[in-house]
C-alpha cells in the first residue's frame, strides 16, 4: 500500500485546509542545523530532540538527509516510526537514488514528506549544475513525480531562489505544482537578500505562479547578513505560510532563522502580522536548553528570547522601571517562553531600589542607616566582580567579607578515570579549626567523583544543577575556569575556580561553595558578624569619601 493510500491522521497538505491565519513551522534543526560544524548529533540525540520538537508543536520536522550516511538514514527511520504528531520530512536531491532512499526511511511515518531541492539561479545553473533552464525544469519535474509515489506530500525547494530570475522561478514553480508538489520553498540560501526584496518576490510569485492558490509558499532564510528572521517575517507578511527555521538559529555558516524568534515575533506582534502558530511557546526555553546539552554549544547571553540576558536587567534605571511596572522594559513575559522569572541582575550599574528588593527577597529588612553601609560596600564589590550573587548579598547584609576564604582549604587532590568506566577521586582538606580530613569517592566521571568526595569530607549535601568550563587564556597551558551551581537546603550556591587542570578548577569551585555554605550556616547558628552600628558607620564614611 502506498503512503498516500494509508489512513492519515496528520493534517492535510492541501492549502485549502490550511488556515489563512496560521503559519506552519518547519523545523530543520536535525538536518540543516546539525550539519553545521560543531552541532553534529548521533542517532540517540536526534531522537531526543525530535520528541522535544513534537512536544513543542512543530508542524514539520525535517529529520535528516537519509542518503548522507547509514546513521542518518537510521535516525530518520526511527524518528518516522515513533513521532506521530508532526509530519516527518527527509531531504533528497533531485536524483532517483536519493528519493528512493528517503522514501524507505519514511515508510513508518504517520505523515511523511519528501523535500526535494534543485538550484535555479544563473550562478548555480552554470557553475554547480552545468544545466540549461529547460534541463533544470525537466529534472525537478521528474524528481517530484518520483517522490509523489513514495510519501504523503512533496515539497520542492529552488535552491538560491533569491538570486534567480523571478520570471524563471515562477516558471519552475508552476511546473512543480503540475508535477504534484504541495509546498514550494523559495530559500535565501546564502543570506543575501533584504526584507523589502523578500516581500516583493513572494508577492510576485503568488501572482504569477500557475496554481499558486493550491500550494503553501515557504521561506528558508540564512543569516549571513544578520537578516534571516527579518526576511522570514517579510515573507510571511507577503503571504508565505510556512517558515523553515531552527532552534537557537543553528545552521550552515551564520545559521538559519531562529525558530523561537519567529514564533515570538508573530505572537507579540500579532495585530501587525495577523497570523500565529501552533507552537507551545512555554516550551521554547527548555527545548533550547536541551539542544545546548546535546551539542555542547552554549547560547550567547544576548541571544533573543532564550539567551541568559533576554529577561535580565542590570541598569539601575531599568531595574527601577521594572519594579514599578514590568511593561516599562519588557515586551513579553519570561513565563511565556518557559523562563521562570525576570532577573534583576545586580552589578555595578544597579541602584539602591533593586538591591533593597533583592535583600528583602532573601529575608533581610534593612533600615535606611544599615542600607547606607550595605549599599556602599555593594558598590565597592560590584566594581571588582562582573555579577553579584545571592551569597554575596547575604555576606554583605550580615557584615561578612564576600571574598573571604576558608574555613576549608584544599591540601591534596588526586583523580583517576577509566575509558568507558567510572572515575575515582581522593581529597584532603584542612579546616581553620585545625582538623584535617581525607575522603575518597567513585563517580561517573572525575568531576562527579570530586564532588562526591567533597560532600563526604565536609558533610555537605550538594545537588549539582549547572556546570560550565571555559578557557580564560590561550595555548596548550591555557587556564580553565569552572563555574558550578549546586543546590543545598533549597538554595542555589555558586562557585568559581581557575586552574590549568579543569578537574582542579572544578574542585576549587566546589570548595568555594562548601565554604560559603559553612560560613553562612555558622553565622546563622552563632549570631556572629559585625555589629549594625559598625555597618552604619562604615556606610557613612564611604558616602563621605564618595562625595
Amino acid at each position: 500500500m502506498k503512503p498516500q493510500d494509508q489512513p492519515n491522521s496528520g493534517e492535510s497538505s492541501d492549502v485549502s485546509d490550511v488556515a489563512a491565519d496560521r503559519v506552519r513551522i518547519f523545523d530543520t534543526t536535525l538536518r540543516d542545523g546539525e550539519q553545521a560544524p560543531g552541532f553534529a548529533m548521533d542517532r540517540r540525540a536526534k531522537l531526543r530532540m525530535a520528541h522535544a520538537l513534537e512536544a513543542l508543536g512543530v508542524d514539520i520536522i525535517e529529520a535528516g538527509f537519509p542518503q548522507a550516511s547509514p546513521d542518518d538514514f537510521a535516525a530518520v527511520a526511527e524518528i518516522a516510526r515513533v513521532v506521530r504528531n508532526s509530519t516527518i520530512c527527509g531531504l533528497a536531491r533531485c536524483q532517483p537514488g536519493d528519493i528512493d532512499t528517503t522514501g524507505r526511511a519514511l515508510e513508518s511515518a504517520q505523515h511523511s514528506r519528501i523535500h526535494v531541492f534543485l538550484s535555479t539561479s544563473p550562478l548555480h545553473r552554470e557553475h554547480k549544475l552545468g544545466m540549461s533552464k529547460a534541463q533544470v525544469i525537466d529534472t525537478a519535474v521528474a524528481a517530484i513525480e518520483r517522490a509523489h509515489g513514495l510519501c504523503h506530500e512533496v515539497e520542492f525547494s529552488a535552491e538560491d531562489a533569491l538570486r534567480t530570475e523571478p520570471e524563471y522561478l515562477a516558471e519552475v514553480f508552476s511546473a512543480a505544482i503540475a508535477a504534484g508538489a504541495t509546498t514550494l520553498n523559495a530559500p535565501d540560501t546564502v543570506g543575501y537578500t533584504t526584507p523589502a526584496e523578500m516581500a516583493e518576490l513572494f508577492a510576485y510569485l503568488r501572482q504569477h505562479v500557475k496554481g499558486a492558490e493550491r500550494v503553501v509558499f515557504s521561506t528558508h532564510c540564512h543569516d549571513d547578513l544578520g537578516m534571516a528572521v527579518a526576511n522570514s517575517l517579510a515573507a510571511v507578511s507577503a503571504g508565505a505560510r510556512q517558515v523553515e527555521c531552527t532552534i537557537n538559529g543553528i545552521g550552515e555558516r551564520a545559521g538559519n532563522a531562529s525558530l523561537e524568534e519567529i514564533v515570538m515575533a508573530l505572537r507579540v506582534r500579532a495585530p501587525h502580522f495577523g497570523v500565529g502558530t501552533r507552537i507551545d511557546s512555554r516550551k521554547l526555553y527548555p527545548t533550547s536548553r536541551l539542544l545546548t546539552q546535546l551539542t555542547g554549544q552554549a547560547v550567547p547571553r544576548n541571544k533573543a528570547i532564550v539567551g541568559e540576558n533576554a529577561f535580565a536587567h542590570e541598569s539601575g534605571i531599568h531595574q527601577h522601571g521594572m519594579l514599578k511596572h514590568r511593561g516599562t522594559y519588557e515586551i513579553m513575559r519570561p513565563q511565556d517562553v518557559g523562563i521562570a522569572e525576570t532577573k534583576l541582575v545586580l552589578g555595578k550599574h544597579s541602584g539602591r531600589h533593586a538591591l533593597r528588593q533583592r535583600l528583602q527577597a532573601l529575608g533581610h529588612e534593612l533600615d535606611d542607616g544599615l542600607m547606607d553601609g550595605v549599599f556602599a560596600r555593594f558598590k565597592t564589590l560590584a566594581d571588582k566582580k562582573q555579577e553579584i550573587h545571592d551569597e554575596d548579598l547575604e555576606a554583605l547584609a550580615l557584615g561578612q567579607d564576600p571574598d573571604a576564604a576558608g574555613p576549608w582549604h584544599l591540601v591534596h587532590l588526586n583523580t583517576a578515570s577509566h575509558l568507558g568506566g567510572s572515575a575515582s577521586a581522593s581529597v584532603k582538606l584542612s579546616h581553620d579549626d585545625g582538623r584535617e580530613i581525607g575522603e575518597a569517592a567513585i563517580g561517573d566521571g572525575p568531576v562527579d567523583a570530586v564532588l562526591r568526595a567533597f560532600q563526604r569530607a565536609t558533610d555537605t549535601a550538594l545537588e549539582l544543577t549547572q556546570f560550565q568550563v571555559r578557557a580564560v587564556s590561550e595555548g596548550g597551558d591555557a587556564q580553565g575556569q569552572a563555574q558550578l551551581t549546586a543546590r543545598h537546603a533549597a538554595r542555589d550556591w555558586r562557585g568559581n575556580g581557575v586552574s590549568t587542570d579543569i578537574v582542579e578548577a572544578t574542585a576549587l569551585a566546589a570548595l568555594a561553595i562548601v565554604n560559603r555554605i559553612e560560613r553562612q550556616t555558622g553565622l546563622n547558628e552563632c549570631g556572629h558578624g559585625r555589629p549594625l552600628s559598625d555597618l552604619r558607620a562604615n556606610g557613612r564614611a564611604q558616602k563621605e569619601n564618595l562625595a
Side-chain angles (χ1 to χ4, degrees):
M1 182 166 57
K2 293 182 179 180
Q4 62 264 35
D5 298 326
Q6 297 175 7
N8 174 25
S9 62
E11 65 177 34
S12 171
S13 61
D14 192 318
V15 71
S16 63
D17 292 331
V18 179
D21 62 351
R22 185 166 74 79
V23 172
R24 290 177 170 187
I25 296 298
F26 177 111
D27 182 274
T28 185
T29 300
L30 301 179
R31 200 277 300 169
D32 195 327
E34 78 98 26
Q35 72 186 28
F39 290 95
M41 289 177 267
D42 60 23
R43 192 189 317 177
R44 184 168 57 180
K46 292 185 78 169
L47 186 60
R48 285 186 63 192
M49 197 67 208
H51 281 302
L53 294 172
E54 179 185 27
L56 182 63
V58 166
D59 297 284
I60 302 100
I61 298 173
E62 189 167 49
F65 186 4
Q67 187 72 1
S69 71
D71 191 63
D72 219 34
F73 176 94
V76 174
E78 180 66 9
I79 291 169
R81 185 180 67 81
V82 300
V83 173
R84 316 313 283 167
N85 296 318
S86 301
T87 294
I88 305 303
C89 177
L91 184 71
R93 293 166 294 187
C94 287
Q95 298 176 5
D98 276 30
I99 295 167
D100 293 347
T101 299
T102 303
R104 289 196 302 273
L106 295 172
E107 283 178 348
S108 299
Q110 185 80 10
H111 196 84
S112 59
R113 175 185 295 190
I114 294 180
H115 180 190
V116 293
F117 70 97
L118 189 64
S119 295
T120 56
S121 70
L123 188 65
H124 281 219
R125 291 196 308 263
E126 178 181 355
H127 296 288
K128 178 181 175 181
L129 301 178
M131 289 184 179
S132 66
K133 288 182 176 180
Q135 288 174 317
V136 168
I137 292 177
D138 289 344
T139 301
V141 166
I144 293 167
E145 290 176 342
R146 189 180 191 94
H148 194 261
L150 299 173
C151 59
H152 293 101
E153 59 188 59
V154 179
E155 174 175 342
F156 173 73
S157 282
E159 188 179 5
D160 207 22
L162 270 295
R163 294 192 295 178
T164 299
E165 308 93 319
E167 63 279 2
Y168 177 62
L169 185 60
E171 184 181 355
V172 174
F173 277 171
S174 298
I177 293 173
T182 53
T183 301
L184 301 178
N185 183 38
D188 184 14
T189 304
V190 292
Y192 174 78
T193 197
T194 65
E197 292 170 323
M198 179 67 75
E200 182 180 0
L201 177 64
F202 272 82
Y204 177 89
L205 292 174
R206 293 181 67 210
Q207 183 178 357
H208 291 88
V209 171
K210 297 177 182 178
E213 70 283 354
R214 303 199 306 271
V215 297
V216 173
F217 282 93
S218 176
T219 179
H220 180 140
C221 298
H222 280 263
D223 208 33
D224 298 72
L225 291 177
M227 293 187 282
V229 170
N231 285 334
S232 299
L233 294 172
V236 170
S237 294
R241 288 298 176 264
Q242 176 177 285
V243 174
E244 305 190 6
C245 45
T246 60
I247 299 295
N248 297 342
I250 69 171
E252 289 281 7
R253 303 182 310 281
N256 288 277
S258 164
L259 182 150
E260 56 275 7
E261 293 175 30
I262 295 292
V263 168
M264 293 311 294
L266 294 177
R267 176 170 176 168
V268 173
R269 299 303 309 277
H272 174 76
F273 289 104
V275 294
T277 71
R278 72 180 191 97
I279 296 294
D280 182 351
S281 65
R282 296 167 299 177
K283 295 178 179 175
L284 288 172
Y285 183 75
T287 306
S288 167
R289 285 294 171 259
L290 173 62
L291 181 61
T292 66
Q293 294 170 19
L294 296 177
T295 63
Q297 300 292 333
V299 174
R301 287 184 70 112
N302 65 326
K303 169 74 172 67
I305 313 300
V306 294
E308 192 173 341
N309 289 354
F311 295 94
H313 308 267
E314 182 180 335
S315 162
I317 295 173
H318 286 208
Q319 290 177 340
H320 192 193
M322 285 292 297
L323 291 171
K324 294 291 186 180
H325 190 284
R326 184 192 62 81
T328 53
Y329 290 103
E330 284 188 354
I331 60 173
M332 54 192 145
R333 300 187 312 152
Q335 295 84 359
D336 292 339
V337 302
I339 296 175
E341 59 184 0
T342 292
K343 293 180 182 178
L344 298 185
V345 178
L346 296 178
K348 66 179 182 179
H349 302 293
S350 300
R352 186 183 299 265
H353 293 284
L355 177 60
R356 183 183 291 278
Q357 186 266 354
R358 189 61 196 149
L359 287 171
Q360 288 173 343
L362 293 172
H364 298 280
E365 292 285 350
L366 307 182
D367 61 32
D368 290 340
L370 182 56
M371 189 66 191
D372 288 341
V374 171
F375 185 65
R377 296 178 67 213
F378 163 77
K379 281 293 189 180
T380 300
L381 181 63
D383 280 334
K384 296 190 296 182
K385 300 183 68 172
Q386 286 187 340
E387 187 175 330
I388 307 297
H389 297 295
D390 287 351
E391 50 266 30
D392 300 315
L393 298 180
E394 293 272 13
L396 289 174
L398 296 168
Q400 292 182 314
D401 179 4
D403 291 328
W408 291 104
H409 306 274
L410 182 62
V411 177
H412 172 79
L413 169 68
N414 183 60
T415 62
S417 58
H418 307 282
L419 185 64
S422 61
S424 60
S426 62
V427 300
K428 179 181 286 188
L429 303 178
S430 66
H431 196 277
D432 286 346
D433 63 10
R435 286 179 290 161
E436 276 199 359
I437 297 178
E439 281 289 353
I442 296 174
D444 294 333
V447 170
D448 184 43
V450 166
L451 291 176
R452 291 174 184 268
F454 265 88
Q455 291 182 71
R456 295 179 64 176
T458 63
D459 195 26
T460 305
L462 298 176
E463 178 189 354
L464 186 64
T465 59
Q466 190 172 9
F467 172 50
Q468 184 178 0
V469 177
R470 67 182 182 90
V472 293
S473 59
E474 298 180 357
D477 58 348
Q479 286 193 311
Q481 181 184 48
Q483 296 178 318
L484 298 182
T485 302
R487 185 160 293 128
H488 172 78
R491 260 194 63 181
D492 284 340
W493 302 78
R494 296 174 181 82
N496 294 324
V498 178
S499 172
T500 55
D501 183 332
I502 62 171
V503 178
E504 182 180 344
T506 302
L508 294 174
L511 184 68
I513 291 175
V514 296
N515 277 331
R516 282 174 169 164
I517 292 172
E518 180 152 336
R519 289 197 302 269
Q520 183 65 48
T521 303
L523 187 68
N524 289 342
E525 291 177 351
C526 301
H528 293 167
R530 294 169 61 191
L532 299 186
S533 58
D534 287 356
L535 284 171
R536 292 191 179 97
N538 182 61
R540 286 194 296 270
Q542 292 200 39
K543 284 176 68 179
E544 291 171 1
N545 291 335
L546 290 172

Short mmCIF file of all heavy atoms in Angstrom, two decimals, residues 24 406 490:
data_model
loop_
_atom_site.label_atom_id
_atom_site.label_comp_id
_atom_site.label_asym_id
_atom_site.label_seq_id
_atom_site.Cartn_x
_atom_site.Cartn_y
_atom_site.Cartn_z
N ARG A 24 2.77 27.53 9.30
CA ARG A 24 3.39 26.25 9.65
C ARG A 24 4.84 26.47 10.03
O ARG A 24 5.57 27.21 9.37
CB ARG A 24 3.34 25.29 8.45
CG ARG A 24 1.97 24.77 8.08
CD ARG A 24 2.10 23.92 6.84
NE ARG A 24 0.89 23.18 6.54
CZ ARG A 24 0.79 22.27 5.59
NH1 ARG A 24 1.85 21.99 4.84
NH2 ARG A 24 -0.34 21.64 5.36
N GLY A 406 38.22 30.11 53.08
CA GLY A 406 38.05 29.22 54.23
C GLY A 406 36.61 29.16 54.68
O GLY A 406 35.74 29.80 54.10
N ALA A 490 17.60 23.82 49.68
CA ALA A 490 16.62 24.53 48.85
C ALA A 490 17.12 25.87 48.35
O ALA A 490 16.33 26.75 47.97
CB ALA A 490 15.30 24.73 49.62
#
